[in-house]
Amino acid sequence: MKNTTQNIKNVKIHYFFSKEVPELVDEFKQFVVSVNKYLIGLQDDPRYHKSATRGKSKSKTITFEDGDWKFRGKLTREGQPYTEEAIFYFRGEEIWRMERNFRLYEAAYQREDAVTHCMLAAAAEYDAETPWRGPECILDDEVQLQYASVYSGTDDDFTIEETIRNAYGVVLWMATCSGGYLT
């Protein structure tokens, strides 16, 4: 009987999320990867672009759930894989949040589809250790645009500055993200 009691004590049961538990952090990162793939996949789903609000609102909320994990994102601009607000929950409790403020520059208006293509290329190139950020730099050869991101801070409290530039270095799109784990 003693052996069974010891085995039960060795089983870890987490009633809440703790970023100090590597297994939960790994699960969280895997869930973020799933959300990234889901958001990228929405770009090919014709139902995604139809407004659920019948044109009364330009924003839309996207929800994705898997077991104990839930994602809720707010999107105000159709046709991009990035949300302006991303909130992640573990067992109903908010554990992580990121906000993105972006600007599409006038020089990009003629190339919006190319900018979106570059965003999708960058979104597919995330680092599994920090799947909430894009790569440091990629060149989307198909549309001749460059995506770059600068990550500063820690996973608890970070800032990401993202840019998409044309072949001449002109900024077409810029975003500033801030977020991290919630305490």
Side-chain angles (χ1 to χ4, degrees), residues 70-73 85-89 94-98:
K70 179 180 177 180
F71 162 80
R72 192 184 82 217
E85 180 180 71
I87 304 170
F88 287 84
Y89 301 85
E94 188 175 329
I95 61 157
W96 191 93
R97 173 187 288 265
M98 183 174 81

Side-chain angles (χ1 to χ4, degrees), residues 40 81-82 114-127 133-150 161-167 169-170 172-173:
I40 291 168
Y82 298 137
V115 170
T116 299
H117 190 278
C118 188
M119 284 183 199
L120 284 165
E125 294 291 326
Y126 55 84
D127 176 357
R133 68 172 284 202
E136 286 184 31
C137 186
I138 66 160
L139 176 61
D140 185 345
D141 289 327
E142 190 172 322
V143 293
Q144 296 300 306
L145 297 179
Q146 180 187 46
Y147 168 92
S149 73
V150 177
E161 295 198 11
E162 301 172 299
T163 56
I164 293 178
R165 299 175 189 273
N166 68 13
V170 175
L172 304 178
W173 177 86

Side-chain angles (χ1 to χ4, degrees), residues 36 74 80-88 96-103 119 122-123 130-135 147-164 173-181:
N36 287 346
K74 183 178 177 185
Q80 70 170 356
Y82 298 137
T83 58
E84 285 85 47
E85 180 180 71
I87 304 170
F88 287 84
W96 191 93
R97 173 187 288 265
M98 183 174 81
E99 292 181 9
R100 175 181 281 112
N101 295 303
F102 68 91
R103 180 174 178 199
M119 284 183 199
T130 53
W132 44 84
R133 68 172 284 202
Y147 168 92
S149 73
V150 177
Y151 186 82
S152 58
T154 66
D155 293 348
D156 292 336
D157 184 20
F158 63 82
T159 301
I160 305 169
E161 295 198 11
E162 301 172 299
T163 56
I164 293 178
W173 177 86
M174 179 180 268
T176 303
C177 311
S178 59
Y181 289 107

Side-chain angles (χ1 to χ4, degrees), residues 51-58:
S51 174
T53 62
R54 295 182 171 76
K56 294 179 183 172
S57 172
K58 293 186 182 220

Side-chain angles (χ1 to χ4, degrees), residues 17-102:
F17 180 84
S18 171
K19 64 185 180 222
E20 309 304 322
V21 179
E23 298 87 1
L24 281 176
V25 172
D26 287 344
E27 278 185 41
F28 170 62
K29 289 177 181 180
Q30 289 171 11
F31 181 66
V32 174
V33 167
S34 297
V35 169
N36 287 346
K37 290 177 181 177
Y38 176 74
L39 292 173
I40 291 168
L42 284 179
Q43 300 308 306
D44 295 327
D45 185 345
R47 295 170 298 172
Y48 167 67
H49 298 286
K50 293 181 181 174
S51 174
T53 62
R54 295 182 171 76
K56 294 179 183 172
S57 172
K58 293 186 182 220
S59 68
K60 127 183 351 185
T61 300
I62 299 168
T63 304
F64 182 84
E65 294 185 53
D66 186 9
D68 290 333
W69 302 96
K70 179 180 177 180
F71 162 80
R72 192 184 82 217
K74 183 178 177 185
L75 184 68
T76 57
R77 185 173 172 76
E78 286 185 355
Q80 70 170 356
Y82 298 137
T83 58
E84 285 85 47
E85 180 180 71
I87 304 170
F88 287 84
Y89 301 85
F90 178 72
R91 295 187 179 170
E93 297 294 322
E94 188 175 329
I95 61 157
W96 191 93
R97 173 187 288 265
M98 183 174 81
E99 292 181 9
R100 175 181 281 112
N101 295 303
F102 68 91

